[in-house]
Amino acid sequence: MIFYKTAEEIELIRESCLLNCKALEHVASVIGPGVKGSKIDKEAEALLRDHGAVPGFKGYRGFPATLCISLNEQVVHGIPSDYEFKDGDIVSVDCGTFINGFFGDAAYTFALGDVNEDVMELLRVTKTSLYKGIDAAVRGNRLGDVSHAIQRYCEQEHKYGVVRELVGHGIGRNLHEAPEVPNYGRRGRGIKLKEGLVIAIEPMVNLGTKAVRQLDDGWTIITKDKKVSAHYEHTVAVKAGKADILSSHVGVEKAISNNPNVKEVALKSEVVI
Ligand code: MG
Ligand code: MG
């Protein structure tokens, strides 16, 4: 069952999303080679709690942390650890926040130091595909139009692997609500998009094969061929004409431009929103 949101509820979700993105912005300002995931996880949790919020992921089905930190061939759901990031790593950071009764959800993939151009291109394409999906998330379209826009751009135009096993989702009073929002699908299929629908759109795109597997920790998803994977996510409200992006990567990108340890992805969010 889909819970459609009122305008007031959407504003509460926006508040949750913007605080959530403050945590990602903090990550963007401190991440770099030599930094431990466990450290930025603690800092993100402190930032959320200082603002009266609760981490959205911690304790969710037993997940032990505030952030999902997924390195290189890890796709999503990586558990923060004492590993020190190193030059050339790409680090996907996913954060969830719960405040005022509603969840916010967003993710960003950071390129640390000297990252190969083929990997930077994967990041640019994955991030662009997120906005292509968002562009299709308008009243009167169907959910398959969102899914298809992402898949077509990543697979047909760029020959990357779009992960099938993990998908975006409705969001609101629950972190994961109906409908599922796959990053692959057929145009014109699926539910009709109506105002009040709030979804997290989150392409997970691999440099090589789309096939993934789960590590023995019960959480971390990695690519089967061990090639790198990227992940960008926004929480979005369906509107007539143009979707309303409730989260924001703009602060994250500003922090990256001031952090010499992180390489900027060519596409800037403020250009496309
Ligand atoms: Mg997320
Ligand atoms: Mg999500």
Side-chain angles (χ1 to χ4, degrees):
M1 172 178 174
I2 296 173
F3 300 109
Y4 291 93
K5 279 77 182 180
T6 65
E8 291 75 16
E9 288 172 331
I10 288 171
E11 290 316 306
L12 291 172
I13 298 173
R14 190 193 310 277
E15 274 182 39
S16 187
C17 287
L18 292 179
L19 176 58
N20 191 51
C21 287
K22 283 280 175 206
L24 283 180
E25 189 178 325
H26 175 74
V27 168
S29 68
V30 299
I31 198 168
V35 175
K36 292 175 180 173
S38 55
K39 178 173 182 281
I40 58 173
D41 180 69
K42 283 196 193 79
E43 292 173 1
E45 177 170 0
L47 185 149
L48 295 179
R49 292 195 189 279
D50 285 349
H51 288 81
V54 174
F57 300 163
K58 198 168 190 173
Y60 181 81
R61 296 187 179 170
F63 189 76
T66 296
L67 303 176
C68 294
I69 298 181
S70 307
L71 278 155
N72 302 320
E73 77 275 11
Q74 298 176 353
V75 180
V76 287
H77 301 169
I79 299 170
S81 76
D82 288 337
Y83 166 84
E84 288 185 6
F85 301 134
K86 61 181 198 307
D87 193 86
D89 280 343
I90 65 161
V91 186
S92 298
V93 179
D94 194 345
C95 191
T97 291
F98 181 76
I99 190 168
N100 297 329
F102 289 92
F103 284 90
D105 194 2
Y108 198 93
T109 299
F110 299 93
L112 305 192
D114 193 18
V115 171
N116 291 340
E117 271 318 304
D118 60 335
V119 175
M120 292 311 296
E121 176 68 359
L122 172 73
L123 302 193
R124 186 192 67 75
V125 168
T126 306
K127 192 173 176 185
T128 303
S129 79
L130 168 61
Y131 289 104
K132 288 192 178 283
I134 291 170
D135 279 347
V138 293
R139 189 178 77 190
N141 269 1
R142 289 187 180 269
L143 194 58
D145 297 326
V146 175
S147 304
H148 180 79
I150 295 167
Q151 182 184 18
R152 184 189 158 78
Y153 185 68
C154 296
E155 285 193 346
Q156 274 155 260
E157 294 186 34
H158 291 280
K159 311 300 174 201
Y160 295 137
V162 170
V163 173
R164 300 297 198 270
E165 289 84 348
L166 298 133
V167 296
H169 49 92
I171 181 167
R173 292 192 183 276
N174 307 289
L175 179 60
H176 294 135
E177 297 183 355
E180 289 194 340
V181 183
N183 298 303
Y184 59 94
R186 293 169 72 174
R187 211 182 265 150
R189 298 292 179 91
I191 60 158
K192 205 163 211 186
L193 303 181
K194 299 197 294 189
E195 293 206 25
L197 181 66
V198 178
I199 50 177
I201 302 177
E202 48 179 315
M204 289 154 255
V205 182
N206 303 341
L207 193 59
T209 177
K210 64 181 185 289
V212 298
R213 69 180 183 87
Q214 190 174 53
L215 294 184
D216 290 339
D217 64 14
W219 284 104
T220 314
I221 305 294
I222 67 165
T223 57
K224 275 201 174 152
D225 61 7
K226 303 276 184 78
K227 289 187 180 173
V228 300
S229 182
H231 180 215
Y232 293 87
E233 177 178 27
H234 274 311
T235 298
V236 166
V238 169
K239 286 271 152 44
K242 195 170 180 23
D244 187 358
I245 307 175
L246 304 178
S247 47
S248 171
H249 287 158
V250 172
V252 171
E253 290 165 3
K254 285 211 179 94
I256 289 172
S257 70
N258 290 317
N259 181 344
N261 297 313
V262 183
K263 204 164 171 179
E264 293 182 69
V265 178
L267 175 78
K268 282 286 205 303
S269 296
E270 55 199 327
V271 175
V272 287
I273 56 180

